[in-house]
Amino acid sequence: MEREGNDCVVGDTSLTASPFDGEASILRSTLLLYHVGEVTLTFHSDRLSWKLVEPLDNDVSTCLGIKYFSKVATGIKLSDIYAVELNDHGSIHISSLSPATECLFLGQDIKMYSFTVHGFIRSKTQPSQCILVEYTFGHKNLPRCQMWVNQLNASLKHEIGRPKNLLVFVHPRSGKGNGCRTWEAVAPIFSRAKVKTKVIVTERAGEAFDVMSSITNVELNSFDGVVAVGGDGFFNEILNGFLSPRFKAPYPPTPSDFVHLAKYNGDSLVLDEDEIVDGTSIRNEDQFPLIPSPKQSGSRISNSNSEDKAAEFPVPNEWFRFGIIPAGSTDAIVICTTGTRDPITSALLIVLGKRVHLDIAQVVRWKRTPTSEVEPNVRYAASFSGYGFYGDVITESEKYRWMGPKRYDYAGTMVFLKHRSYEAEITYVESDETNLTSKRDHEGNLLRAIRSPHKSEKCICRINCKVCNEKPNHASLGVCSLTPHLNSEETRWARSKGRFLSVGAAVISCRNEKAPDGLVADAHLSDGFLHLILIRDCPHASYLWHLTQLTRRGGSPLNYKFVEHHKTPAFTFTSSGNESVWNVDGEIFQAHQLSAQVFRGLVCMFASGPEV
C-alpha cells in the first residue's frame, strides 16, 4: 500500500461488499484505530471486526529499538454495542497512536474526523460484571465517518427490546445516601444510547408509590419501563404502586378451616376501583412508617381521570420492564437478577433491553375492622417476606437509621441476643416438587426425615435458565397461567404448628454480600414456587450455627432438625399470643393472619440472569 504523503490513513479503500476473513461482509474500510494503528474495519450482520493493515510479527512492534506488545481486541458483537457517536473534528495526540505508528508521525500535526463505538466486555474475574469499553476510529474524510455512524446506528435500532423512553425514580437517601451520585455516574450511558429518561428524585417516603399508582395508563404506555435507583425496599414501593391499581387477581387459596371470613366481590378481585383511587387499602401506617405519606398533590405525573379508565395496560406485560440500579443496603434483587451489585452493569443491561421474568408474591393481611368485618390488605413482594427474627430486625433497625446500613448488623445482634420465639400455625400447599426437610404431624411433632423420591439435583438459577424459560403463556391462559401449581384438581394442604424463631418465604434465592448463596441456593427467578423456611425454637447455639452457615459459600443452613423447608405455591399464617411483624421486601407489614401465593413471571426485569 502507498502512504499518501504525511496523512496517517494508508491506502484507504472504498466501502465494499467483499468477503473478510472468509465471511461475507457488508462494509469495509481502512481507518485509524486510536491506540492501535491502521486497521481494516469490517461490518458484518452481527458484529464489527478489525484487522491491522500491516500485521505485526507475533504481535510485537519495534520503535527505536524498543519492543511493544500489542494485545488488543479484534472485534465486538453488535449486541454488545450500546451507542455510536460522531466526535468533533480535531487534532490527534501522539498518545492516541500505537507505539509503531508514533514513530511515523513524530513532530507532525495530525487532524482528522473520528467516531467512537461504545460497548462492553465481561470481567474475567467476575463473569456477571460488565466493563465499559470504547473504540475510536479516525479518518480524514467526514462523510466516511458519518456513513459508518449511520450504518451502525441503523443496525442498533433493529436490536429487539432496547428501550427508548424510561421513567426513573431516584432515592437520594438510599443505602449510604448515594442515590443521586449513583444516578449521575450512570446517566451518561443512557444519554449516549439516546434513551430518554424522566427522572424523579423522591423527597418523602411513599412518593414513588403515589406517583406509580396515580399515573394514567395513557402516560404509562408512553414508557418502555421504570427504573429504581435505590435498594430492595424502594423497588418494592414502586412495584406495589404499579401493581395495586392494575393487577386483578383472586385472593390466595386457603384451607377450609382458615377463619379470615373473606368477602369476595363478584369475580373475586382483590381490590375494587374505589379502594385503589383512594389509596387507603394499600398505603397505611404499616407500609411507610418513617414519614407520613400525605395525599398526592402537585405531582409531576398526571393523575387518573375518567378517560384513562378505558385505556388498557395489561398486567402481566411483556414489553414493560423494571430495572434496578443498585444503591441500597442489600440489593438482593439486583444480585439475583444480574449476578453482581454493580450500577454500570445494571445500566448497560437496561439500555441493551435485556429481559428476564420474575415471580412476584402476593401477601394478603386479614384484619378485622371496628365493625367486625374482615378487610384484606394486599402487598406484593419480589424477594422475601419474613416474620419473627426478620420482622424484629427490621423493627429494631428503624431506631438506628442514622447508622446507615450498619444498623442491620447492630439490630440483628440485639434481636439474636433476645432470642424470642412466637407461637404460630402455618399451612401450605403440597406439590409434586415439594422438598420437605422434615415431616411433622398435626401438632407439629417430628415424625421422620424425608426427601422427595423424585427430587432432582440442585439446579442453580443463571442466565438462560431452563427452568425459568418454561414461562407460562399469559396471552392464552390469562391470570390462571400465573399460578400453574395451584390449578390441579386436588389441593393438598399440610400444617405446621408450634413456636418459631422465624417464618420466611423466599421468592428468589436472596443472594447478597453477607449471604453469598442466599437463603435458598437453588431458588429460581421464575418457577412459580415460594420457599417456605420455618425455624423452630431451638437453643441459642444451634440458631447461631444456622445463621453462620448462611454467611458461608457452600454452607448448609437448612440441614438442621429445627429447620423446615417447603417448596410451595401458597401458604397461610396465623399467630397466637405475643406477635412480631412481617418484613416484606424491607418494609414493615403488621399482620396477625395472612395468606400468600406466588404469581409466576408476573413482571419482566431489565436483566438476563447471573452468568456462570
Side-chain angles (χ1 to χ4, degrees), residues 383-403:
S383 60
F384 180 76
S385 298
Y387 178 86
F389 177 82
Y390 302 105
D392 293 346
V393 169
I394 195 68
T395 302
E396 185 76 15
S397 68
E398 294 300 330
K399 304 175 185 178
Y400 310 102
R401 292 191 68 85
W402 55 270
M403 297 177 63

Side-chain angles (χ1 to χ4, degrees), residues 194-326:
K194 296 180 175 59
V195 177
K196 296 180 181 179
T197 55
K198 182 167 187 175
V199 182
I200 298 177
V201 180
T202 59
E203 300 175 353
R204 57 178 173 83
E207 182 179 357
F209 174 90
D210 289 336
V211 174
M212 284 303 298
S213 60
S214 63
I215 185 175
T216 67
N217 287 341
V218 172
E219 186 164 5
L220 200 59
N221 272 304
S222 68
F223 296 105
D224 297 307
V226 59
V227 176
V229 184
D232 294 339
F234 190 53
F235 173 72
N236 177 272
E237 182 182 330
I238 295 171
L239 178 69
N240 276 270
F242 170 79
L243 290 176
S244 297
R246 297 174 181 88
F247 182 52
K248 306 292 186 178
Y251 292 119
T254 58
S256 57
D257 59 348
F258 192 64
V259 292
H260 61 79
L261 302 177
K263 295 196 304 181
Y264 290 84
N265 298 323
D267 56 357
S268 299
L269 299 183
V270 170
L271 297 172
D272 62 46
E273 197 171 83
D274 294 335
E275 289 176 326
I276 293 165
V277 174
D278 180 71
T280 56
S281 64
I282 292 296
R283 188 185 63 237
N284 53 50
E285 68 280 1
D286 300 336
Q287 291 181 296
F288 309 111
L290 303 181
I291 304 175
S293 211
K295 295 274 186 178
Q296 179 86 3
S297 60
S299 172
R300 285 163 280 187
I301 297 292
S302 53
N303 292 324
S304 301
N305 53 58
S306 57
E307 295 180 358
D308 184 59
K309 294 178 181 179
E312 294 185 359
F313 194 93
V315 179
N317 195 307
E318 288 292 325
W319 60 266
F320 191 88
R321 283 153 289 174
F322 292 82
I324 307 176
I325 297 177

